[in-house]
Amino acid sequence: MKIAIIDGSTVKSVGEHTELFPNTSFPNTGVSSSFLTENNAKQVTIPTYDSKTQKLSAISPVIDGDYVKEYEVVSLTTEEKTTVDNQQWNTVRKDRNIKLQDSDWTQITDSPLTDEKKTEWQTYRQSLRDITKQSDPFNITWPTEPS
């Protein structure tokens, strides 16, 4: 567990509890709140954020109530957002290509499917190809595979 040693309102040092207190044996459950209080320490917390639109930016450690923060949440720049979106589109395309490959057999001339079923599969496969026309790579509506 990452903790910070505090002196008044100042963060003196930050590190893993085993590094800051090398001669102390800790239970498997980690550092207790009483240990933190007795040693003028606070747990370091990492804020939650939406990686699709935000990132963490390092800051000088600051006391925030019962915790110490080393990061603040900031919005991605337009360039960073484009990069994140493009990475997700690549993942979507890979998933789409696997689904297309897995259904290739439905379109061969000696496929055991009826013409009606082949048409269902053609429609499904076209919907897969059209996936990239959707606006949000993080919220893809996948077509339902024919039964």
Side-chain angles (χ1 to χ4, degrees):
M1 168 189 288
K2 201 166 189 183
I3 63 173
I5 298 175
I6 309 299
D7 183 13
S9 61
T10 304
V11 176
K12 289 296 185 188
S13 59
V14 176
E16 290 296 319
H17 64 285
T18 53
E19 295 169 357
L20 296 175
F21 297 94
N23 298 323
T24 304
S25 177
F26 295 97
N28 290 339
T29 56
V31 180
S32 68
S33 58
S34 61
F35 179 86
L36 292 173
T37 301
E38 293 164 6
N39 290 281
N40 296 323
K42 293 183 181 279
Q43 184 177 345
V44 175
T45 185
I46 298 176
T48 57
Y49 65 102
D50 182 352
S51 62
K52 298 175 248 177
T53 59
Q54 300 171 319
K55 66 180 179 179
L56 295 178
S57 179
I59 59 173
S60 295
V62 59
I63 299 170
D64 184 22
D66 292 334
Y67 299 94
V68 168
K69 294 192 314 188
E70 293 183 296
Y71 299 95
E72 66 181 354
V73 177
V74 296
S75 294
L76 295 175
T77 64
T78 302
E79 183 178 303
E80 291 168 332
K81 175 71 172 128
T82 298
T83 298
V84 167
D85 285 353
N86 286 341
Q87 289 170 343
Q88 183 63 21
W89 277 120
N90 286 337
T91 300
V92 168
R93 283 186 188 93
K94 285 178 186 175
D95 292 346
R96 185 263 326 262
N97 290 346
I98 289 169
K99 291 176 185 296
L100 282 168
Q101 186 176 13
D102 288 348
S103 64
D104 280 348
W105 68 272
T106 66
Q107 301 307 299
I108 58 176
T109 52
D110 62 347
S111 165
L113 298 175
T114 64
D115 287 344
E116 182 182 329
K117 282 295 182 185
K118 271 190 179 182
T119 302
E120 286 180 32
W121 280 97
Q122 287 171 346
T123 302
Y124 167 74
R125 289 168 55 85
Q126 185 58 53
S127 295
L128 288 173
R129 289 185 191 94
D130 293 341
I131 284 289
T132 56
K133 293 179 181 177
Q134 295 183 31
S135 61
D136 183 359
F138 293 97
N139 190 23
I140 295 295
T141 302
W142 291 94
T144 303
E145 183 178 299
S147 55

